[in-house]
Each structure stands twice: as structure tokens, then as C-alpha cells.
Amino acid sequence: MKLKITIVGPKVHDVGYRYFLLGIAMSNRIRMFEAHNIKSSEGEAVLVFADGDEEAIKAFCAQVETERPARSEVSNIVFDDFEGDVMRIGEYAQFCATIQLNKAIPVLLEIRDNTKATPQILEEIKAVRKNTDTMPQVLGEIKGLRDDIQPGYANNLRQVQADVRAIKERLGMQ
């Protein structure tokens, strides 16, 4: 039994729908399968072709109607008979791998190019670390200064308090 399925919605591309359908087809032992992202007048669409025994195709259709990838948004699913050729599922899996490599290669090249700057960044990190390595020593010096100031501060405070008492006594305030 050959079937053409059109899945339409505002979000059916870039959500893993073709791989999702490939997994369903494989689990139903469908040997001939392919799916393609297309644009339709209603928005995004996934065009699916499947060829297999009637039981397998019916089970596949039932899952397509009830299950969806996590981030997809589907507005309509249409099932039609189909008379054309359908790709072998293994060939389709290779086709998908090629598509994904074509998407991944530019990203990988960008990552490679960005990592060329890594040695310079590492040198900058080392310089910052070298400056922060002296922090314990600086903190110790600050603490020592605070300890030096504290006794004087306590003496000054006592002197100020004594002066305030003396002024109050002269003014007759107590």
C-alpha cells in the first residue's frame, strides 16, 4: 500500500519532524519511506511518502495522527493514495544524514575559526590570574593597616569622649 501524507502547520520545520516520522516508520517495519520539508499556501509542510504492507501503513497512519514532535504545531494532516516510487528507508536515512552534515559543516567551521583566538584568550586569563595571585598578600596588608589604625582610633575615641564630658561640665550640663 502506497500513501502520501501532507502535514501542515505553523511549526513543522526545524522540530525534528522528519526524523520523528522516520522512527515511526522503522518501528512499524515500513521498508520504503521518505519525508521532505516544503512550503505550502498554509505555511510549513512536511510531505511524506510511505510504501509497505497494509497493516504497517495503517499503524503508521494512526501514530502520525496522534503523535507529534515536542515543539511542533500542526494544523492539518491529509492522507492520499500515491502511485509513484518511494525511496528505500535506508537510502532515505543516508539522505537525511547528508542534509544534517550540510547544516553542521558551516557551524563546525565557525567553531574552528573561533578556537583560533583561544591562545590569546588563555594568555589574557593567565595575566589576570597572575594579578589575582597577589590578592592574599594585599588583603593581609590591608588587615594589618586596619589593626594599626584600630588602637589609635580607640584612643582618639576615648579622648573625644573625655573632651565632650569636660565641655559639658564647664557648661553645667550633665
Side-chain angles (χ1 to χ4, degrees), residues 62-113:
Q63 282 185 275
V64 168
E65 285 184 305
T66 59
E67 299 175 22
R68 294 173 174 44
R71 294 184 175 149
S72 66
E73 295 176 37
V74 176
S75 56
N76 193 22
I77 300 176
V78 178
F79 297 89
D80 292 312
D81 290 331
F82 181 68
E83 295 299 322
D85 291 333
V86 180
M87 203 181 286
R88 287 188 179 131
I89 200 164
E91 291 171 352
Y92 177 71
Q94 289 176 331
F95 170 76
C96 286
T98 302
I99 289 171
Q100 293 307 311
L101 280 172
N102 283 333
K103 289 179 181 179
I105 287 171
V107 173
L108 293 170
L109 291 173
E110 186 176 333
I111 290 169
R112 182 200 63 192
D113 293 344

Side-chain angles (χ1 to χ4, degrees), residues 1-172:
M1 176 178 192
K2 290 184 182 181
L3 195 62
K4 172 183 161 186
I5 305 168
T6 307
I7 303 167
V8 180
K11 191 64 181 163
V12 295
H13 293 181
D14 299 320
V15 293
Y17 222 127
R18 292 173 295 161
Y19 291 95
F20 179 80
L21 294 167
L22 176 61
I24 293 173
M26 292 174 120
S27 69
N28 283 292
R29 302 185 54 80
I30 293 173
R31 303 282 185 232
M32 309 294 274
F33 172 87
E34 58 187 279
H36 306 279
N37 285 342
I38 62 168
K39 293 285 184 187
S40 79
S41 58
E42 299 174 54
E44 297 179 350
V46 179
L47 189 58
V48 182
F49 301 98
D51 182 2
D53 67 49
E54 191 171 341
E55 259 184 59
I57 294 293
K58 284 182 179 178
F60 175 74
C61 290
Q63 282 185 275
V64 168
E65 285 184 305
T66 59
E67 299 175 22
R68 294 173 174 44
R71 294 184 175 149
S72 66
E73 295 176 37
V74 176
S75 56
N76 193 22
I77 300 176
V78 178
F79 297 89
D80 292 312
D81 290 331
F82 181 68
E83 295 299 322
D85 291 333
V86 180
M87 203 181 286
R88 287 188 179 131
I89 200 164
E91 291 171 352
Y92 177 71
Q94 289 176 331
F95 170 76
C96 286
T98 302
I99 289 171
Q100 293 307 311
L101 280 172
N102 283 333
K103 289 179 181 179
I105 287 171
V107 173
L108 293 170
L109 291 173
E110 186 176 333
I111 290 169
R112 182 200 63 192
D113 293 344
N114 288 341
T115 57
K116 288 180 181 177
T118 301
Q120 179 185 349
I121 293 169
L122 288 175
E123 288 305 314
E124 290 173 14
I125 290 170
K126 286 178 185 175
V128 168
R129 181 178 286 156
K130 184 178 179 182
N131 289 338
T132 59
D133 285 346
T134 61
M135 283 304 258
Q137 179 184 350
V138 170
L139 289 174
E141 289 175 19
I142 291 171
K143 187 176 180 183
L145 287 174
R146 191 183 75 201
D147 291 342
D148 290 345
I149 292 170
Q150 254 179 342
Y153 172 76
N155 289 337
N156 287 341
L157 181 60
R158 282 192 286 272
Q159 182 61 48
V160 169
Q161 289 171 338
D163 290 345
V164 168
R165 276 193 300 273
I167 292 170
K168 283 183 175 181
E169 284 176 18
R170 282 190 176 173
L171 294 174

